[in-house]
Tab-separated table of all heavy atoms in Angstrom:
chain	number	residue	atom	x	y	z
A	1	ARG	N	-49.966	-107.883	103.521
A	1	ARG	CA	-51.156	-107.310	102.872
A	1	ARG	C	-50.889	-105.880	102.421
A	1	ARG	O	-51.321	-105.473	101.340
A	1	ARG	CB	-52.350	-107.347	103.825
A	1	ARG	CG	-52.879	-108.750	104.094
A	1	ARG	CD	-54.229	-108.713	104.774
A	1	ARG	NE	-55.279	-108.294	103.844
A	1	ARG	CZ	-56.559	-108.157	104.178
A	1	ARG	NH1	-56.948	-108.389	105.410
A	1	ARG	NH2	-57.436	-107.779	103.286
A	2	GLN	N	-50.182	-105.110	103.241
A	2	GLN	CA	-49.830	-103.746	102.829
A	2	GLN	C	-48.897	-103.770	101.622
A	2	GLN	O	-49.028	-102.975	100.696
A	2	GLN	CB	-49.166	-103.002	103.999
A	2	GLN	CG	-50.105	-102.632	105.123
A	2	GLN	CD	-49.368	-102.010	106.300
A	2	GLN	OE1	-48.369	-102.561	106.791
A	2	GLN	NE2	-49.847	-100.857	106.763
A	3	LEU	N	-47.948	-104.725	101.640
A	3	LEU	CA	-47.027	-104.841	100.517
A	3	LEU	C	-47.772	-105.279	99.255
A	3	LEU	O	-47.515	-104.780	98.154
A	3	LEU	CB	-45.924	-105.848	100.854
A	3	LEU	CG	-44.723	-105.861	99.901
A	3	LEU	CD1	-43.970	-104.541	99.986
A	3	LEU	CD2	-43.790	-107.024	100.234
A	4	ALA	N	-48.722	-106.209	99.408
A	4	ALA	CA	-49.508	-106.670	98.260
A	4	ALA	C	-50.345	-105.533	97.681
A	4	ALA	O	-50.522	-105.430	96.459
A	4	ALA	CB	-50.412	-107.835	98.666
A	5	LEU	N	-50.843	-104.659	98.571
A	5	LEU	CA	-51.632	-103.522	98.099
A	5	LEU	C	-50.744	-102.525	97.351
A	5	LEU	O	-51.201	-101.882	96.392
A	5	LEU	CB	-52.323	-102.843	99.281
A	5	LEU	CG	-53.529	-101.947	98.942
A	5	LEU	CD1	-54.579	-102.720	98.161
A	5	LEU	CD2	-54.139	-101.367	100.212
A	6	LEU	N	-49.491	-102.402	97.768
A	6	LEU	CA	-48.544	-101.585	96.991
A	6	LEU	C	-48.296	-102.221	95.627
A	6	LEU	O	-48.116	-101.525	94.621
A	6	LEU	CB	-47.221	-101.428	97.743
A	6	LEU	CG	-47.188	-100.416	98.888
A	6	LEU	CD1	-45.828	-100.452	99.587
A	6	LEU	CD2	-47.488	-99.007	98.394
A	7	GLY	N	-48.289	-103.556	95.597
A	7	GLY	CA	-48.165	-104.251	94.318
A	7	GLY	C	-49.332	-103.950	93.400
A	7	GLY	O	-49.171	-103.831	92.177
A	8	VAL	N	-50.511	-103.806	93.985
A	8	VAL	CA	-51.692	-103.423	93.201
A	8	VAL	C	-51.511	-102.017	92.636
A	8	VAL	O	-51.829	-101.747	91.473
A	8	VAL	CB	-52.971	-103.501	94.062
A	8	VAL	CG1	-54.164	-102.952	93.302
A	8	VAL	CG2	-53.235	-104.938	94.486
A	9	ALA	N	-50.996	-101.098	93.476
A	9	ALA	CA	-50.713	-99.736	92.994
A	9	ALA	C	-49.730	-99.776	91.835
A	9	ALA	O	-49.873	-99.043	90.843
A	9	ALA	CB	-50.142	-98.888	94.140
A	10	ASN	N	-48.727	-100.637	91.954
A	10	ASN	CA	-47.738	-100.828	90.891
A	10	ASN	C	-48.418	-101.225	89.582
A	10	ASN	O	-48.110	-100.689	88.504
A	10	ASN	CB	-46.754	-101.908	91.350
A	10	ASN	CG	-45.583	-102.090	90.413
A	10	ASN	OD1	-44.622	-101.342	90.440
A	10	ASN	ND2	-45.644	-103.110	89.579
A	11	ASP	N	-49.382	-102.148	89.669
A	11	ASP	CA	-50.056	-102.654	88.465
A	11	ASP	C	-51.118	-101.698	87.952
A	11	ASP	O	-51.339	-101.607	86.740
A	11	ASP	CB	-50.669	-104.024	88.755
A	11	ASP	CG	-49.608	-105.055	89.079
A	11	ASP	OD1	-48.609	-105.110	88.349
A	11	ASP	OD2	-49.768	-105.785	90.070
A	12	ILE	N	-51.790	-100.997	88.858
A	12	ILE	CA	-52.778	-100.009	88.417
A	12	ILE	C	-52.089	-98.915	87.609
A	12	ILE	O	-52.525	-98.557	86.516
A	12	ILE	CB	-53.520	-99.398	89.622
A	12	ILE	CG1	-54.477	-100.428	90.238
A	12	ILE	CG2	-54.300	-98.145	89.209
A	12	ILE	CD1	-55.167	-99.948	91.492
A	13	GLY	N	-50.998	-98.391	88.158
A	13	GLY	CA	-50.277	-97.349	87.444
A	13	GLY	C	-49.795	-97.812	86.089
A	13	GLY	O	-49.912	-97.097	85.080
A	14	GLU	N	-49.262	-99.034	86.028
A	14	GLU	CA	-48.691	-99.564	84.791
A	14	GLU	C	-49.739	-99.737	83.697
A	14	GLU	O	-49.443	-99.555	82.511
A	14	GLU	CB	-48.015	-100.905	85.083
A	14	GLU	CG	-47.393	-101.549	83.851
A	14	GLU	CD	-46.894	-102.952	84.133
A	14	GLU	OE1	-47.164	-103.484	85.242
A	14	GLU	OE2	-46.253	-103.539	83.245
A	15	ASN	N	-50.958	-100.061	84.088
A	15	ASN	CA	-51.939	-100.490	83.099
A	15	ASN	C	-53.108	-99.543	82.877
A	15	ASN	O	-53.899	-99.769	81.959
A	15	ASN	CB	-52.488	-101.869	83.496
A	15	ASN	CG	-51.433	-102.948	83.410
A	15	ASN	OD1	-51.121	-103.447	82.333
A	15	ASN	ND2	-50.869	-103.322	84.557
A	16	VAL	N	-53.264	-98.521	83.706
A	16	VAL	CA	-54.350	-97.571	83.473
A	16	VAL	C	-53.867	-96.568	82.432
A	16	VAL	O	-53.238	-95.561	82.758
A	16	VAL	CB	-54.778	-96.868	84.776
A	16	VAL	CG1	-55.858	-95.834	84.487
A	16	VAL	CG2	-55.307	-97.891	85.781
A	17	GLY	N	-54.175	-96.858	81.180
A	17	GLY	CA	-53.670	-96.040	80.087
A	17	GLY	C	-54.750	-95.369	79.267
A	17	GLY	O	-54.534	-95.068	78.087
A	18	LEU	N	-55.919	-95.145	79.871
A	18	LEU	CA	-57.011	-94.518	79.112
A	18	LEU	C	-56.639	-93.098	78.698
A	18	LEU	O	-56.893	-92.690	77.556
A	18	LEU	CB	-58.294	-94.504	79.952
A	18	LEU	CG	-58.839	-95.883	80.355
A	18	LEU	CD1	-60.136	-95.726	81.134
A	18	LEU	CD2	-59.072	-96.753	79.135
A	19	LEU	N	-56.038	-92.350	79.618
A	19	LEU	CA	-55.630	-90.980	79.279
A	19	LEU	C	-54.541	-90.966	78.205
A	19	LEU	O	-54.653	-90.211	77.220
A	19	LEU	CB	-55.175	-90.241	80.540
A	19	LEU	CG	-54.879	-88.746	80.378
A	19	LEU	CD1	-56.079	-88.010	79.797
A	19	LEU	CD2	-54.465	-88.129	81.721
A	20	PRO	N	-53.480	-91.790	78.322
A	20	PRO	CA	-52.524	-91.857	77.209
A	20	PRO	C	-53.168	-92.269	75.888
A	20	PRO	O	-52.780	-91.775	74.827
A	20	PRO	CB	-51.517	-92.921	77.682
A	20	PRO	CG	-51.595	-92.889	79.156
A	20	PRO	CD	-53.015	-92.552	79.486
A	21	GLY	N	-54.165	-93.154	75.964
A	21	GLY	CA	-54.859	-93.568	74.745
A	21	GLY	C	-55.579	-92.432	74.061
A	21	GLY	O	-55.633	-92.367	72.824
A	22	LEU	N	-56.136	-91.523	74.859
A	22	LEU	CA	-56.793	-90.343	74.284
A	22	LEU	C	-55.774	-89.334	73.763
A	22	LEU	O	-55.929	-88.789	72.669
A	22	LEU	CB	-57.677	-89.680	75.346
A	22	LEU	CG	-58.963	-90.418	75.740
A	22	LEU	CD1	-59.582	-89.758	76.960
A	22	LEU	CD2	-59.959	-90.420	74.586
A	23	VAL	N	-54.720	-89.097	74.554
A	23	VAL	CA	-53.733	-88.080	74.188
A	23	VAL	C	-52.983	-88.457	72.916
A	23	VAL	O	-52.663	-87.599	72.089
A	23	VAL	CB	-52.747	-87.857	75.358
A	23	VAL	CG1	-51.584	-86.968	74.942
A	23	VAL	CG2	-53.469	-87.231	76.550
A	24	CYS	N	-52.711	-89.763	72.720
A	24	CYS	CA	-51.900	-90.173	71.568
A	24	CYS	C	-52.612	-89.920	70.249
A	24	CYS	O	-51.972	-89.881	69.193
A	24	CYS	CB	-51.510	-91.652	71.678
A	24	CYS	SG	-52.845	-92.806	71.345
A	25	ASN	N	-53.933	-89.730	70.276
A	25	ASN	CA	-54.678	-89.419	69.053
A	25	ASN	C	-54.733	-87.919	68.772
A	25	ASN	O	-55.155	-87.509	67.701
A	25	ASN	CB	-56.104	-89.960	69.144
A	25	ASN	CG	-56.198	-91.393	68.638
A	25	ASN	OD1	-55.225	-91.936	68.133
A	25	ASN	ND2	-57.359	-91.991	68.784
A	26	LYS	N	-54.325	-87.118	69.743
A	26	LYS	CA	-54.467	-85.670	69.594
A	26	LYS	C	-53.125	-84.942	69.561
A	26	LYS	O	-53.050	-83.801	69.115
A	26	LYS	CB	-55.322	-85.110	70.738
A	26	LYS	CG	-56.750	-85.663	70.754
A	26	LYS	CD	-57.548	-85.080	71.913
A	26	LYS	CE	-58.970	-85.653	71.957
A	26	LYS	NZ	-59.757	-85.303	70.779
A	27	PHE	N	-52.078	-85.581	70.054
A	27	PHE	CA	-50.768	-84.934	70.135
A	27	PHE	C	-49.692	-85.861	69.585
A	27	PHE	O	-49.874	-87.087	69.554
A	27	PHE	CB	-50.448	-84.557	71.587
A	27	PHE	CG	-51.398	-83.548	72.179
A	27	PHE	CD1	-52.483	-83.965	72.937
A	27	PHE	CD2	-51.215	-82.194	71.960
A	27	PHE	CE1	-53.375	-83.043	73.478
A	27	PHE	CE2	-52.091	-81.263	72.502
A	27	PHE	CZ	-53.182	-81.688	73.252
A	28	PRO	N	-48.560	-85.311	69.173
A	28	PRO	CA	-47.479	-86.153	68.659
A	28	PRO	C	-46.889	-87.034	69.752
A	28	PRO	O	-47.026	-86.740	70.945
A	28	PRO	CB	-46.461	-85.125	68.135
A	28	PRO	CG	-46.786	-83.851	68.838
A	28	PRO	CD	-48.254	-83.867	69.071
A	29	PRO	N	-46.204	-88.113	69.384
A	29	PRO	CA	-45.685	-89.066	70.377
A	29	PRO	C	-44.752	-88.448	71.409
A	29	PRO	O	-44.719	-88.903	72.556
A	29	PRO	CB	-44.946	-90.095	69.511
A	29	PRO	CG	-45.605	-90.023	68.174
A	29	PRO	CD	-46.004	-88.594	67.998
A	30	TRP	N	-43.989	-87.417	71.035
A	30	TRP	CA	-43.047	-86.861	72.002
A	30	TRP	C	-43.755	-86.259	73.203
A	30	TRP	O	-43.210	-86.256	74.322
A	30	TRP	CB	-42.115	-85.830	71.346
A	30	TRP	CG	-42.754	-84.526	70.930
A	30	TRP	CD1	-43.232	-84.201	69.714
A	30	TRP	CD2	-42.972	-83.368	71.766
A	30	TRP	NE1	-43.738	-82.923	69.703
A	30	TRP	CE2	-43.586	-82.384	70.959
A	30	TRP	CE3	-42.703	-83.071	73.100
A	30	TRP	CZ2	-43.943	-81.134	71.446
A	30	TRP	CZ3	-43.060	-81.818	73.586
A	30	TRP	CH2	-43.665	-80.869	72.770
A	31	VAL	N	-44.976	-85.768	73.011
A	31	VAL	CA	-45.745	-85.230	74.132
A	31	VAL	C	-46.124	-86.360	75.090
A	31	VAL	O	-46.022	-86.230	76.321
A	31	VAL	CB	-47.007	-84.500	73.626
A	31	VAL	CG1	-47.895	-84.090	74.794
A	31	VAL	CG2	-46.631	-83.289	72.789
A	32	VAL	N	-46.548	-87.481	74.523
A	32	VAL	CA	-46.917	-88.653	75.332
A	32	VAL	C	-45.710	-89.129	76.142
A	32	VAL	O	-45.823	-89.413	77.344
A	32	VAL	CB	-47.442	-89.779	74.419
A	32	VAL	CG1	-47.830	-91.002	75.244
A	32	VAL	CG2	-48.641	-89.306	73.599
A	33	LEU	N	-44.547	-89.205	75.502
A	33	LEU	CA	-43.340	-89.676	76.192
A	33	LEU	C	-42.854	-88.674	77.240
A	33	LEU	O	-42.339	-89.070	78.296
A	33	LEU	CB	-42.236	-89.949	75.171
A	33	LEU	CG	-42.550	-91.027	74.126
A	33	LEU	CD1	-41.363	-91.228	73.203
A	33	LEU	CD2	-42.933	-92.337	74.796
A	34	LEU	N	-43.019	-87.396	76.980
A	34	LEU	CA	-42.618	-86.374	77.952
A	34	LEU	C	-43.453	-86.485	79.225
A	34	LEU	O	-42.917	-86.416	80.342
A	34	LEU	CB	-42.768	-84.977	77.347
A	34	LEU	CG	-42.464	-83.792	78.285
A	34	LEU	CD1	-41.018	-83.854	78.774
A	34	LEU	CD2	-42.741	-82.466	77.587
A	35	ILE	N	-44.748	-86.667	79.082
A	35	ILE	CA	-45.609	-86.826	80.262
A	35	ILE	C	-45.192	-88.059	81.052
A	35	ILE	O	-45.142	-88.054	82.288
A	35	ILE	CB	-47.091	-86.918	79.833
A	35	ILE	CG1	-47.531	-85.601	79.187
A	35	ILE	CG2	-47.981	-87.249	81.035
A	35	ILE	CD1	-48.926	-85.649	78.580
A	36	GLY	N	-44.856	-89.140	80.335
A	36	GLY	CA	-44.399	-90.353	81.009
A	36	GLY	C	-43.118	-90.121	81.791
A	36	GLY	O	-42.954	-90.614	82.918
A	37	ALA	N	-42.183	-89.364	81.213
A	37	ALA	CA	-40.920	-89.077	81.894
A	37	ALA	C	-41.152	-88.280	83.176
A	37	ALA	O	-40.515	-88.534	84.216
A	37	ALA	CB	-39.981	-88.318	80.952
A	38	LEU	N	-42.068	-87.318	83.123
A	38	LEU	CA	-42.374	-86.520	84.314
A	38	LEU	C	-43.032	-87.365	85.402
A	38	LEU	O	-42.715	-87.224	86.603
A	38	LEU	CB	-43.288	-85.347	83.930
A	38	LEU	CG	-42.665	-84.275	83.020
A	38	LEU	CD1	-43.716	-83.262	82.587
A	38	LEU	CD2	-41.498	-83.580	83.724
A	39	ALA	N	-43.934	-88.262	85.011
A	39	ALA	CA	-44.589	-89.148	85.984
A	39	ALA	C	-43.556	-90.046	86.658
A	39	ALA	O	-43.604	-90.273	87.875
A	39	ALA	CB	-45.663	-89.986	85.288
A	40	CYS	N	-42.621	-90.547	85.875
A	40	CYS	CA	-41.566	-91.412	86.403
A	40	CYS	C	-40.700	-90.650	87.416
A	40	CYS	O	-40.395	-91.158	88.501
A	40	CYS	CB	-40.718	-91.932	85.239
A	40	CYS	SG	-39.564	-93.245	85.663
A	41	PHE	N	-40.338	-89.438	87.076
A	41	PHE	CA	-39.476	-88.636	87.946
A	41	PHE	C	-40.147	-88.329	89.287
A	41	PHE	O	-39.564	-88.560	90.358
A	41	PHE	CB	-39.099	-87.329	87.232
A	41	PHE	CG	-38.363	-86.343	88.094
A	41	PHE	CD1	-37.014	-86.526	88.375
A	41	PHE	CD2	-39.015	-85.245	88.637
A	41	PHE	CE1	-36.330	-85.623	89.178
A	41	PHE	CE2	-38.339	-84.348	89.442
A	41	PHE	CZ	-36.990	-84.534	89.718
A	42	PHE	N	-41.361	-87.842	89.242
A	42	PHE	CA	-42.023	-87.433	90.487
A	42	PHE	C	-42.465	-88.640	91.318
A	42	PHE	O	-42.334	-88.643	92.544
A	42	PHE	CB	-43.229	-86.537	90.175
A	42	PHE	CG	-42.850	-85.161	89.725
A	42	PHE	CD1	-43.031	-84.770	88.411
A	42	PHE	CD2	-42.281	-84.253	90.607
A	42	PHE	CE1	-42.664	-83.496	87.982
A	42	PHE	CE2	-41.908	-82.978	90.198
A	42	PHE	CZ	-42.102	-82.601	88.880
A	43	GLY	N	-42.978	-89.692	90.661
A	43	GLY	CA	-43.473	-90.854	91.402
A	43	GLY	C	-42.372	-91.606	92.114
A	43	GLY	O	-42.416	-91.818	93.340
A	44	TYR	N	-41.350	-92.027	91.361
A	44	TYR	CA	-40.255	-92.765	91.990
A	44	TYR	C	-39.444	-91.878	92.933
A	44	TYR	O	-38.832	-92.377	93.890
A	44	TYR	CB	-39.341	-93.373	90.926
A	44	TYR	CG	-39.899	-94.638	90.321
A	44	TYR	CD1	-40.218	-94.702	88.966
A	44	TYR	CD2	-40.117	-95.771	91.099
A	44	TYR	CE1	-40.739	-95.855	88.397
A	44	TYR	CE2	-40.647	-96.929	90.549
A	44	TYR	CZ	-40.951	-96.969	89.200
A	44	TYR	OH	-41.478	-98.115	88.654
A	45	GLY	N	-39.449	-90.578	92.666
A	45	GLY	CA	-38.753	-89.667	93.563
A	45	GLY	C	-39.303	-89.736	94.973
A	45	GLY	O	-38.541	-89.748	95.957
A	46	VAL	N	-40.623	-89.780	95.096
A	46	VAL	CA	-41.252	-89.864	96.421
A	46	VAL	C	-40.917	-91.191	97.094
A	46	VAL	O	-40.596	-91.240	98.295
A	46	VAL	CB	-42.778	-89.686	96.295
A	46	VAL	CG1	-43.474	-89.984	97.624
A	46	VAL	CG2	-43.116	-88.268	95.832
A	47	ILE	N	-40.977	-92.310	96.342
A	47	ILE	CA	-40.645	-93.623	96.914
A	47	ILE	C	-39.195	-93.647	97.390
A	47	ILE	O	-38.879	-94.171	98.467
A	47	ILE	CB	-40.884	-94.739	95.872
A	47	ILE	CG1	-42.324	-94.714	95.341
A	47	ILE	CG2	-40.578	-96.104	96.480
A	47	ILE	CD1	-43.365	-95.007	96.370
A	48	TRP	N	-38.300	-93.054	96.601
A	48	TRP	CA	-36.889	-93.005	97.004
A	48	TRP	C	-36.699	-92.183	98.279
A	48	TRP	O	-35.935	-92.582	99.173
A	48	TRP	CB	-36.049	-92.397	95.871
A	48	TRP	CG	-34.621	-92.162	96.273
A	48	TRP	CD1	-33.636	-93.105	96.390
A	48	TRP	CD2	-34.029	-90.917	96.664
A	48	TRP	NE1	-32.458	-92.516	96.824
A	48	TRP	CE2	-32.669	-91.175	97.003
A	48	TRP	CE3	-34.514	-89.607	96.752
A	48	TRP	CZ2	-31.810	-90.165	97.416
A	48	TRP	CZ3	-33.644	-88.611	97.166
A	48	TRP	CH2	-32.319	-88.880	97.496
């Protein structure tokens, strides 16, 4: 059950894109991709 709940966290993170949806209309794509790269670095860094 704890592992399944981590799976939910995995899917929530992957699919909650309301903020990227707003940002992509106001900033160029490289800003959107840069934020994604930072999220990837810090998030997986903690799991590692």
Side-chain angles (χ1 to χ4, degrees):
R1 290 193 73 181
Q2 289 175 310
L3 192 65
L5 199 56
L6 282 176
V8 173
N10 187 81
D11 296 314
I12 288 175
E14 180 188 8
N15 293 281
V16 177
L18 298 182
L19 187 56
L22 288 170
V23 171
C24 74
N25 271 355
K26 298 180 181 296
F27 297 95
W30 70 265
V31 173
V32 180
L33 299 182
L34 176 61
I35 296 173
L38 293 173
C40 191
F41 172 77
F42 287 109
Y44 281 117
V46 171
I47 304 296
W48 173 76

